[in-house]
Amino acid sequence: DGGITQSPKYLFRKEGQNVTLSCEQNLNHDAMYWYRQDPGQGLRLIYYSQIVNDFQKGDIAEGYSVSREKKESFPLTVTSAQKNPTAFYLCASSNQVNQPQHFGDGTRLSIL
Amino acid sequence: GIQVEQSPPDLILQEGANSTLRCNFSDSVNNLQWFHQNPWGQLINLFYIPSGTKQNGRLSATTVATERYSLLYISSSQTTDSGVYFCAVEGDYKLSFGAGTTVTVRA
């Protein structure tokens, strides 16, 4: 089935450690996005990519990095510079910008 | 960026009741989506509705772009409708989300 796969579902990070969240889509979508959700709040955009080898910062990019080497993959690295990384992370894709976005099931990141 | 306000913040319904959720936004938009987030965190697309009216089963939505608001109607609510409903609008290549309406449907 076509869709967006995020892994792992749960992730634990030690202090000072970088961790990478995986996002893969087989929808042949050009655009991909990463969002962060804190408890009781809406989603906030971290990074987005409109095309392979290109990406742009969203509203809360500090402490995060991304790459877009393949159309189907958009991994997010939470670096040690992100001081409050505990959150629910959601990846999305769309055929193009301004088209409906479809979401993966998310990754919950916690600090040990 | 575009500001998105949703109301009410919380809604408690008896099974079978009807309800209306509202989304106001501060600027013209290219895209508006309604989502349902279930208790496991999954975000389900309900509607892509930058303007006009759409219906899907017991749910329907109307967006009046010129007046910068959208409404989501839930009819004959069921316990499975419980969860958080988000409105999100797109301008400048990104979706801006409201804070959501938490709906609890009691049997």
Side-chain angles (χ1 to χ4, degrees):
Chain A
D1 288 345
I4 302 170
T5 302
Q6 289 189 241
S7 61
K9 278 193 177 304
Y10 300 93
L11 188 58
F12 298 92
R13 195 192 89 168
K14 295 180 181 179
E15 294 287 343
Q17 189 180 44
N18 294 350
V19 292
T20 298
L21 284 61
S22 171
C23 178
E24 303 276 334
Q25 54 98 359
N26 61 4
L27 300 167
N28 200 33
H29 284 170
D30 284 321
M32 297 186 74
Y33 313 82
W34 274 106
Y35 294 88
R36 170 181 171 137
Q37 186 179 28
D38 292 287
Q41 298 185 28
L43 281 66
R44 292 181 292 165
L45 182 66
I46 304 172
Y47 269 98
Y48 67 100
S49 168
Q50 297 181 56
I51 198 167
V52 175
N53 292 324
D54 183 60
F55 49 83
Q56 306 295 328
K57 292 182 179 179
D59 298 322
I60 55 167
E62 186 174 352
Y64 300 97
S65 66
V66 293
S67 63
R68 187 85 187 277
E69 297 177 1
K70 298 186 297 183
K71 185 175 184 177
E72 60 269 23
S73 178
F74 192 39
L76 173 74
T77 296
V78 183
T79 75
S80 57
Q82 172 49 244
K83 297 306 179 188
N84 185 21
T86 297
F88 187 45
Y89 291 87
L90 286 149
C91 177
S93 71
S94 63
N95 196 20
Q96 299 173 16
V97 292
N98 297 330
Q99 294 296 308
Q101 292 188 21
H102 301 270
F103 284 78
D105 288 345
T107 293
R108 295 192 186 277
L109 176 61
S110 301
I111 297 297
L112 285 177
Chain B
I2 300 175
Q3 305 301 308
V4 183
E5 293 185 0
Q6 291 187 243
S7 60
D10 299 282
L11 191 57
I12 299 175
L13 301 170
Q14 200 63 34
E15 198 170 29
N18 302 328
S19 64
T20 301
L21 283 59
R22 187 176 180 101
C23 171
N24 293 333
F25 44 96
S26 62
D27 205 345
S28 57
V29 297
N30 301 313
N31 171 16
L32 187 146
Q33 290 183 253
W34 282 98
F35 297 92
H36 175 220
Q37 188 168 41
N38 65 24
W40 299 272
Q42 293 173 317
L43 265 179
I44 309 300
N45 274 301
L46 298 177
F47 294 101
Y48 169 72
I49 185 165
S51 64
T53 297
K54 290 186 178 180
Q55 180 149 11
N56 184 2
R58 296 180 296 102
L59 301 181
S60 63
T62 295
T63 297
V64 184
T66 53
E67 297 186 23
R68 299 180 184 168
Y69 74 88
S70 183
L71 302 174
L72 178 70
Y73 306 96
I74 305 174
S75 64
S76 304
S77 58
Q78 300 178 359
T79 55
T80 52
D81 294 330
S82 296
V84 183
Y85 289 80
F86 288 106
C87 168
V89 301
E90 185 163 4
D92 294 334
Y93 308 121
K94 64 178 185 179
L95 275 181
S96 296
F97 281 75
T101 293
T102 301
V103 174
T104 303
V105 181
R106 294 179 173 165

